[in-house]
Amino acid sequence: MFTKMAESKWMKFVLFITVFAFVGTAVVALFVYKLTGQMTGVAEVNGKEITMQEFNYNVNLLLRSYEEQGMDTAAIRKMVYSQALDNLINQELLYQEAQKEGLEATEEEIKKAILEIPAFQENGKFSKDRYFAVLSSIGISPEFFEKLMKKDITVKHLMTILKSNLYLTKDEINTFIGKQLTKITGEALVITPSNINISEKEIKEYYEKNKEEFAGKEGKKIVIYQVKINKENPSESEKTAKETFLALKKNQKVPEKAGLSKAFEGVMYKKEDLKNLPKEVQEEAKKLSGEKNLIFVKTKEAYYLGKYLGKYAQPLPLESVKDQIMKLLKQEKQKKQIEELYKKVKEAVKNEKDINKLAKEFKGKLEKIKNKTIQEVAVKYGVDPRDVKYIYLTKENAISEPVKFRNGILIVKVEKKTAPDPKKYKEMEKSVVPLMEGQKFTSKLNMYIDKLRKESDIRINKRVLQ
């Protein structure tokens, strides 16, 4: 059929006019955008556009991922937009660098990668029909998918080069495993803040300031306007309804008009809260959410226009959350006291190396450590993994730098230090080296991307994040 159409001079002319009109409109729109300084895509990286299609595809992938984790995606949509945009900018930066290095994926590589994707296979072999069906089901074209594959493979080539320059030193491995398996014998000095008291006044003040934190019954804040239909002039009522709906949509002030009034403003927990309104209005109001934030309902008597204003949780009474507030306030006070205590202890340790004298000065508690791994000591007292090094680096017959832990300050006196058991060392080395390499590569990649961002011209379409 299409061959015969192409043979017809008349059809060729019609086709030419249709295509010209379509392409011409697009060119004019693009020209207008460029003239006004606006972008047609979501961002530009060194003059290269990131399209809206790429953005929507990435947003949908992230939303699906969060939904599978049981998260309410309506509440985090703006965060998802920002995350998707960041991912795309980072990928474009890496793609451009890979192109400069001559690492761009070939057509053969792209074809081979697609042929090997299990989702496109039937009985272990690539199926063209399945390929088109799968892409159609997720709303993307083969051309777009192949573009994504090209970028992905190209960036992977660059990643391979970056990884090839990465290595772990023996010292890094020794230090990491040493902090886990080295055993020590000695004493632990535990210094804690004085007793923390919380007054009734403090509890009440905290509750009044942070009521929203103590969510009870959940509902949604909505507003519904009513426009009574003027039987003598129904067109005027319709006009008022449309103007009100438009004002709500644009977040503008609703103009005062004859026949227009607020039918409901407040929190809706269930549709019965709107019992004074028609049933059809109740049903539509029930659907209001962050996804569907407007309703327009017409009954015989009136128009009803509603808007979702956000979630609302009725605060639980003070008495039911009193213990929770007391615990929070104690934690806050304790954190401040530990910070102040840490400064004093650190200063004292500069001049005093006798752990018994330090215990007496700060009214601390001494506890014996007998042939325990540094990791066991750290876990027992809740020491931050980043601070374990202060215990590991302490020599025999010396005291460690003071370190903060969950309840206070810890100082360790090391009397004896035993190197890791060779057999256990080898076992741990096999499992931790890949993890350490992964962490080191992630850190290196982030630094590399930060450098590219600073050196690049990145323009973002702010409308996308609104």
Side-chain angles (χ1 to χ4, degrees), residues 223-226 261-265 274 276-277 304:
V223 62
I224 297 175
Y225 286 88
Q226 179 193 63
S261 62
K262 275 183 188 176
F264 180 87
E265 184 175 28
L274 308 179
N276 295 327
L277 298 178
Y304 292 89

Side-chain angles (χ1 to χ4, degrees), residues 294-461:
L294 292 167
I295 58 167
F296 190 118
V297 181
K298 183 185 178 184
T299 66
K300 289 181 180 179
E301 303 298 325
Y303 293 96
Y304 292 89
L305 313 117
K307 183 165 185 176
Y308 173 80
L309 302 175
K311 286 184 179 179
Y312 178 81
Q314 188 178 40
L316 293 165
L318 175 58
E319 285 305 313
S320 65
V321 295
K322 199 172 182 179
D323 290 342
Q324 188 182 343
I325 294 172
M326 187 177 287
K327 189 178 178 182
L328 286 167
L329 289 173
K330 275 189 175 180
Q331 286 173 348
E332 284 180 12
K333 276 193 177 182
Q334 187 182 54
K335 191 176 178 181
K336 286 179 184 176
Q337 286 188 5
I338 288 172
E339 286 295 333
E340 291 169 6
L341 187 59
Y342 175 73
K343 290 174 186 175
K344 291 176 183 176
V345 174
K346 193 172 182 182
E347 193 61 36
V349 168
K350 288 179 183 177
N351 305 310
E352 183 56 72
K353 304 300 178 184
D354 187 327
I355 200 164
N356 291 295
K357 288 182 180 179
L358 288 167
K360 189 176 179 181
E361 182 182 347
F362 292 100
K363 297 177 182 177
K365 182 183 176 184
L366 280 169
E367 298 175 353
K368 293 289 181 183
I369 300 171
K370 190 174 180 180
N371 204 33
K372 296 289 183 184
T373 65
I374 291 174
Q375 185 60 26
E376 285 174 323
V377 174
V379 169
K380 180 181 177 180
Y381 295 103
V383 176
D384 189 310
R386 291 168 295 185
D387 292 334
V388 173
K389 62 184 177 184
Y390 296 116
I391 303 171
Y392 171 70
L393 295 170
T394 305
K395 295 178 181 178
E396 288 186 347
N397 299 313
I399 62 170
S400 70
E401 284 277 321
V403 294
K404 287 175 276 188
F405 71 104
R406 57 176 171 256
N407 295 322
I409 313 298
L410 177 73
I411 299 174
V412 175
K413 181 184 178 181
V414 178
E415 294 170 359
K416 185 182 176 185
K417 206 171 180 182
T418 307
D421 176 82
K423 188 178 178 182
K424 288 184 178 179
Y425 182 101
K426 286 289 181 187
E427 287 174 3
M428 182 170 271
E429 187 177 25
K430 286 177 186 175
S431 60
V432 302
V433 166
L435 293 173
M436 289 176 70
E437 286 175 341
Q439 288 173 351
K440 193 168 184 179
F441 177 70
T442 301
S443 177
K444 181 180 178 180
L445 181 62
N446 288 337
M447 288 171 65
Y448 185 63
I449 290 171
D450 286 343
K451 179 176 175 288
L452 292 177
R453 276 180 172 264
K454 287 173 185 174
E455 295 172 352
S456 301
D457 177 23
I458 300 170
R459 295 177 63 225
I460 294 171
N461 186 343

